[in-house]
Amino acid sequence: MRAIPLALLLALLLALATQASALTADRARDQAFSRLWDRDPPGDLLFSEDFEGGNLDRWNPDPGWTLVDRPGGPGECAQVVSTEDQIQDLVLKAPLTIVPGHPVAVCWRTRLTTGSQPLFLRVDFFGEDGKQGAPYARQELSRSGPEWTDNVMLVSDWFPDYARAITIWFHEAEKAGTTSLLDDIRVVDLQPAVTALLQAELPALRARAGQLATALGKLPASPVIDAWKTVAAKRLAWIREQLDAAAKLEPGSGDAARVLAEPSVYLQRLGDAVAALGQKKLSTTRVLAYATRPISSTMILPHTAELPGGPAERVTLAACPGEYEPASLVLWSPDGLPAVGATASDLKGPAGSIPAANLDLKWVKCWYQGGNAPYGIGVVRDRKALIPELLVNDPDLVRVDLAAQHNELKLSFPAGARYVPIDDPQPVNWGGRLKLDEFPVKDSPTLLPADLPAGLNQQLWLTLKVPDSAKAGRYEGRLQLMSEGRPVGSVALAVDVLPFALAEPRTHHDPAAEFTYSLYYWGWLDPAGQGSISYDRKSEPQFRAELRYMRERGIVAPCMIWPAPMVYGDETAFRRHLQLAKEEGFAGHPLVFG
């Protein structure tokens, strides 16, 4: 019998160790949610309606709603025909009791027979007294087509804190001009399925910890591997302690899920390290660098387990001369690193070099927002969401307390810096303005070091500006990572400059017609010259900087929303605005006003 090669053995062990993604309460909910149209759907059924009773007795229907034979049969379904004079509602009579904190989904099928306007699903919320509160309702459009279309919505994300019961509505918009069919409605409490999945997570994590320990033991000795073995042994002992603690809690409970979340991430990250070590693709001993997709639907938060990318010692970009191109790295350390900094070298190649100054590095700061973040700015309920949004040089410009869900902003006064809270849950007063001298917000002009806490992700954003004169070819350099000024690793950078320039944008309907990139821009010059921390009144340096930023990135015709009395009614002020726009590169392009 032939021995299994070491590389293959490591690959097999790693596959066993990381075959299951780190399961949190949210991931368990998502897994259960994805199975709601299976033959054996998960969860407790709170309500079901297939219209086979031959009536609409459980509903309050408007006249546009009737029962009809299901096309292609068997059975019946509900039909709504829109009218000219009113919205056509189908409202559930009796509220459905829900348990606060439980994930609740609504499933339904729709089909259009005429027109193209889909049905709305609306959910009303009731408190313990049976009365509606505010906000009292939320609604979303169905997915619809000429054939039966499955819909499923996790409506518990809409629930305000007071919600103890819900009512569901379906309605056709007024004058929609459509006829829609509705069938197979279900309201499901997913908590039992979530609990079952979380109960299975503890033994799965124990198995992964054992498999990871075995894979580590098979690695050959080397300075880098020995260092990771020491780190992993320490962390595996801690992971087993956490798993023992979770075993004493109620299986599948929220407390148990919270205890298991961090060990799950550590097992996943250490599994990635073992895989890279087995392939001789890891040279750092205290940090992992993940090359992640810069544009992704996955928000990279401090505790995000599944990153949109993998460990890498090289980041490769491709761009045209004159183009801006982004890249993203996520740094992670098992024991934490203080004062982590990053510097880029020049990118050199046979066709010349790209200066390091053309590579802009920024920390991605996660901070708390309210309302319906990240999906909108409306206040849906009194809650906060951690959002990876700010690009900063100074990681301490905004201080974030993850435990307290609290933000503080650093103000740079002449007498010294001072922090102020910036997470007032009240709606923004758009008419209020903070003058720059009263609210001096200043980022560092260069990238400052950031602490890398143990086990938490820190995203680094890279923006490359390829010189207009760059010749085609590959350019290579390195991104050096340091902690307290000492090297802790590096990532190779490779840029393939393409042998053509980007064409001027053209419309889809006519390739010969110019397409103008634009956006609404509300900035205008403060008559007093002071500027403000707001979306509109700017000092001249603020105004120029924002115009320049748009112009350099292809927004050549922003729609200028300038106040008529302040600008259009004053020829001198108007000419000054036009002159600054011209000086910042907007000459020769359409100038749009709104």
Side-chain angles (χ1 to χ4, degrees):
M1 180 177 177
R2 297 177 61 185
I4 299 176
L6 176 61
L8 178 58
L9 177 61
L10 289 172
L12 292 172
L13 287 169
L14 179 71
L16 289 172
T18 60
Q19 61 184 341
S21 300
L23 190 67
T24 64
D26 286 345
R27 288 184 62 83
R29 179 202 65 189
D30 293 344
Q31 286 186 25
F33 180 77
S34 68
R35 293 172 42 217
L36 279 169
W37 282 111
D38 290 354
R39 288 191 175 183
D40 185 21
D44 284 348
L45 192 64
L46 302 181
F47 175 81
S48 177
E49 177 67 89
D50 59 10
F51 301 107
E52 296 308 306
N55 57 62
L56 295 172
D57 288 350
R58 294 196 290 175
W59 302 86
N60 287 320
D62 280 340
W65 285 91
T66 58
L67 292 183
V68 298
D69 291 336
R70 184 182 173 100
E76 293 182 297
C77 63
Q79 175 181 275
V80 58
V81 180
S82 65
T83 63
E84 291 293 319
D85 56 346
Q86 69 176 45
I87 294 173
Q88 296 299 306
D89 290 320
L90 180 70
V91 187
L92 188 63
K93 288 181 179 178
L96 305 173
T97 301
I98 57 99
V99 179
H102 281 203
V104 176
V106 178
C107 310
W108 71 103
R109 288 191 169 100
T110 60
R111 180 174 179 175
L112 290 169
T113 57
T114 63
S116 60
Q117 295 296 317
L119 282 172
F120 282 89
L121 165 71
R122 167 174 160 167
V123 178
D124 280 8
F125 315 124
F126 301 85
E128 291 179 348
D129 58 1
K131 296 181 179 179
Q132 292 172 319
Y136 69 92
R138 173 78 184 269
Q139 64 184 28
E140 290 288 349
L141 283 169
S142 301
R143 294 173 58 251
S144 296
E147 303 298 329
W148 284 107
T149 304
D150 294 344
N151 284 270
V152 59
M153 191 76 67
L154 193 71
V155 296
S156 50
D157 280 350
W158 305 348
F159 293 173
D161 292 338
Y162 65 77
R164 298 295 183 272
I166 63 171
T167 294
I168 59 172
W169 299 30
F170 293 91
H171 72 82
E172 191 81 75
E174 183 182 356
K175 302 179 181 180
T178 62
T179 300
S180 295
L181 303 180
L182 173 67
D183 206 354
D184 299 328
I185 304 168
R186 288 180 290 128
V187 182
V188 184
D189 184 334
L190 291 172
Q191 188 60 37
V194 171
T195 300
L197 288 167
L198 292 174
Q199 286 175 334
E201 179 70 354
L202 181 57
L205 291 177
R206 289 193 189 279
R208 274 185 270 168
Q211 293 156 358
L212 184 58
T214 301
L216 279 165
K218 297 294 183 179
L219 292 172
S222 76
V224 172
I225 289 176
D226 291 346
W228 275 103
K229 282 185 176 181
T230 300
V231 169
K234 173 184 172 183
R235 280 297 166 185
L236 283 171
W238 171 82
I239 287 170
R240 292 188 180 99
E241 291 176 358
Q242 297 298 104
L243 298 183
D244 290 341
K248 298 176 182 178
L249 300 171
E250 181 183 351
S253 67
D255 289 339
R258 282 187 288 274
V259 172
L260 293 177
E262 195 171 357
S264 298
V265 176
Y266 267 96
L267 284 172
Q268 189 149 323
R269 296 288 185 272
L270 292 175
D272 289 340
V274 170
L277 291 168
Q279 298 169 12
K280 298 181 180 180
K281 292 183 178 179
L282 183 59
S283 59
T284 60
T285 59
R286 302 182 64 192
V287 65
L288 287 176
Y290 286 75
T292 56
R293 295 190 299 275
I295 306 301
S296 167
S297 59
T298 300
M299 292 197 300
I300 299 176
L301 300 171
H303 295 96
T304 298
E306 293 291 318
L307 298 174
E313 293 198 299
R314 174 183 292 272
V315 174
T316 303
L317 303 175
C320 296
E323 186 180 359
Y324 284 86
E325 186 69 17
S328 167
L329 284 174
V330 174
L331 307 180
W332 183 89
S333 173
D335 291 324
L337 287 171
V340 174
T343 57
S345 70
D346 293 342
L347 303 170
K348 298 180 179 179
S353 66
I354 298 175
N358 282 46
L359 190 66
D360 181 38
L361 306 178
K362 291 283 190 294
W363 297 114
V364 179
K365 191 73 177 185
C366 300
W367 67 333
Y368 285 98
Q369 295 184 3
N372 197 29
Y375 309 107
I377 61 174
V379 178
V380 175
R381 56 179 174 171
D382 186 14
R383 69 175 181 89
K384 297 178 181 178
L386 191 63
I387 306 298
E389 180 193 43
L390 299 177
L391 297 180
V392 297
N393 285 326
D394 181 0
D396 292 325
L397 182 65
V398 177
R399 290 196 308 205
V400 179
D401 186 331
L402 295 177
Q405 297 189 355
H406 177 64
N407 304 319
E408 289 185 328
L409 178 66
K410 181 165 67 176
L411 302 182
S412 300
F413 292 101
R418 177 165 60 89
Y419 282 89
V420 296
I422 54 168
D423 50 5
D424 187 340
Q426 296 303 314
V428 173
N429 176 13
W430 291 109
R433 296 180 179 86
L434 296 165
K435 296 180 180 179
L436 292 177
D437 58 349
E438 299 171 348
F439 211 76
V441 181
K442 295 180 181 178
D443 196 8
S444 168
T446 59
L447 190 73
L448 299 181
D451 290 335
L452 184 56
L456 298 184
N457 304 315
Q458 176 57 65
Q459 189 176 7
L460 183 66
W461 193 271
L462 298 78
T463 304
L464 174 69
K465 169 61 165 69
V466 179
D468 295 336
S469 59
K471 296 181 178 171
R474 168 159 286 200
Y475 297 76
E476 296 184 318
R478 296 200 76 81
L479 183 73
Q480 182 68 53
L481 303 175
M482 296 161 290
S483 174
E484 297 183 319
R486 294 187 295 272
V488 292
S490 65
V491 177
L493 298 174
V495 178
D496 292 321
V497 176
L498 303 176
F500 55 85
L502 289 176
E504 289 297 321
R506 295 291 186 264
T507 63
H508 178 72
H509 67 275
D510 181 0
E514 291 186 4
F515 182 87
T516 301
Y517 286 104
S518 188
L519 50 74
Y520 289 116
Y521 178 59
W522 297 78
W524 50 278
L525 290 172
D526 179 3
Q530 293 180 336
S532 63
I533 302 300
S534 69
Y535 67 98
D536 54 2
R537 192 172 300 197
K538 308 292 179 181
S539 67
E540 184 173 319
Q542 286 179 305
F543 187 69
R544 283 184 178 275
E546 292 177 354
L547 291 177
R548 190 178 310 122
Y549 192 89
M550 289 187 287
R551 175 67 187 90
E552 289 175 348
R553 286 155 179 80
I555 307 297
V556 300
C559 183
M560 304 296 190
I561 313 295
W562 293 339
M566 290 286 188
V567 179
Y568 306 125
D570 183 338
E571 183 177 337
T572 300
F574 184 58
R575 287 183 177 275
R576 181 59 179 158
H577 282 73
L578 295 181
Q579 180 63 30
L580 293 179
K582 179 179 179 180
E583 291 175 6
E584 295 302 334
F586 288 91
H589 297 282
L591 195 57
V592 183
F593 297 97

